[in-house]
Amino acid sequence: MPSPPRRQVVAGAVSAAALALAGCSAGGVEVRRGTLRSRHVPGRDLPWVLAMPHDRSVLRAPVVVLHGKGGHGEQALDLLHLDDHVAATGLAVAAVDGGNGYWHRRDDGTDSGAMVTDDFLPLVAEEYGATDRVAFLGWSMGGYGSLLLAGELGPGRVAAVAPMSAALWTSPGASAPGAFDDREDFEQHDVFAASRRRVLGRIPVRMACGREDPFAAANRAFGQVLPSARVTIDDGGHTGDYWRDHGGPQLRWIRSVLDGGASA
């Protein structure tokens, strides 16, 4: 299929250029790829990928997928194979390269979280179609990011959140080097904070983490302070196999939420 023309995506005072590079179709799924420019991550072309069902007679909330540390957006397809579930669920999945900044503003001036909310979401709306709300799915660093961004956007904008192996810590001293700039940064972006939990408590949340995963204890602890969340701790570790095995069920749960068949 021909590549769509270059266009500008504008959110408020923020501009980002999106150039569609390629598109392909197979098995009831259309995949588009391109690059995004954002002032929140200056000087970089950020690759993105969007897999959506051919049948778009009903535009359901797209699922924005946030990758883990050291990863990239394309892993939503080539590692998790989420495109295998697009036709069956009727859900579009969209991912973008966000670097290793844990999806929030950093001292170096970058803010991959704002890039998603200000620039990537409008791009997805242009490519897929405008919807009132979105859903989030993420793994590891992206699992944390999905909770963080959902808590910032709130239930009026976010329909569901489905983190896997979320990179969570219960105190600043326990966090991994580079995840936060300092204690203040941790506290400002702590999803355990009561103010964020009050918002997330109004959004359906379904978490999954392997028993052998180093984040299992923190994921379990998060479920204890957010009782509205459904938290599954089952066999597995912090691996691509675990995320691939759970990606499909997470998408099916999101579809159930959108259909009104599940709340958590």
Side-chain angles (χ1 to χ4, degrees), residues 185-200:
D185 184 34
F186 178 96
E187 292 173 347
Q188 288 179 347
H189 301 98
D190 181 12
V191 295
F192 280 86
S195 59
R196 294 188 184 276
R197 286 189 281 113
R198 280 194 293 271
V199 177
L200 289 169

Side-chain angles (χ1 to χ4, degrees), residues 24-80:
C24 60
S25 301
V29 178
E30 179 182 351
V31 179
R32 296 181 187 175
R33 293 177 173 86
T35 59
L36 171 70
R37 296 298 296 268
S38 170
R39 69 179 180 88
H40 296 298
V41 188
R44 289 184 56 194
D45 291 322
L46 305 173
W48 56 264
V49 62
L50 169 65
M52 50 191 172
H54 278 308
D55 181 3
R56 296 195 286 278
S57 56
V58 176
L59 288 181
R60 300 177 179 88
V63 181
V64 176
V65 182
L66 304 184
H67 64 76
K69 184 178 180 181
H72 51 82
E74 189 69 29
Q75 288 179 321
L77 274 55
D78 64 24
L79 177 63
L80 272 65

Side-chain angles (χ1 to χ4, degrees), residues 69 100-102 104 106 140-141 144 166-183 185-186 214-215 218 238:
K69 184 178 180 181
N100 294 320
Y102 279 77
H104 67 275
R106 306 307 301 266
S140 193
M141 177 185 76
Y144 159 77
L168 302 179
W169 297 276
T170 56
S171 67
S175 63
F180 302 93
D181 294 316
D182 49 32
R183 174 179 289 270
D185 184 34
F186 178 96
F215 294 111
H238 203 76

Side-chain angles (χ1 to χ4, degrees), residues 95-149:
V96 63
D97 285 14
N100 294 320
Y102 279 77
W103 305 103
H104 67 275
R105 182 170 180 80
R106 306 307 301 266
D107 277 349
D108 64 5
T110 62
D111 189 341
S112 52
M115 177 271 293
V116 170
T117 58
D118 292 353
D119 304 326
F120 188 51
L121 292 186
L123 184 151
V124 172
E126 182 178 352
E127 294 285 340
Y128 170 66
T131 61
D132 292 335
R133 297 195 294 172
V134 300
F136 283 101
L137 183 153
W139 70 93
S140 193
M141 177 185 76
Y144 159 77
S146 66
L147 291 167
L148 180 70
L149 296 189

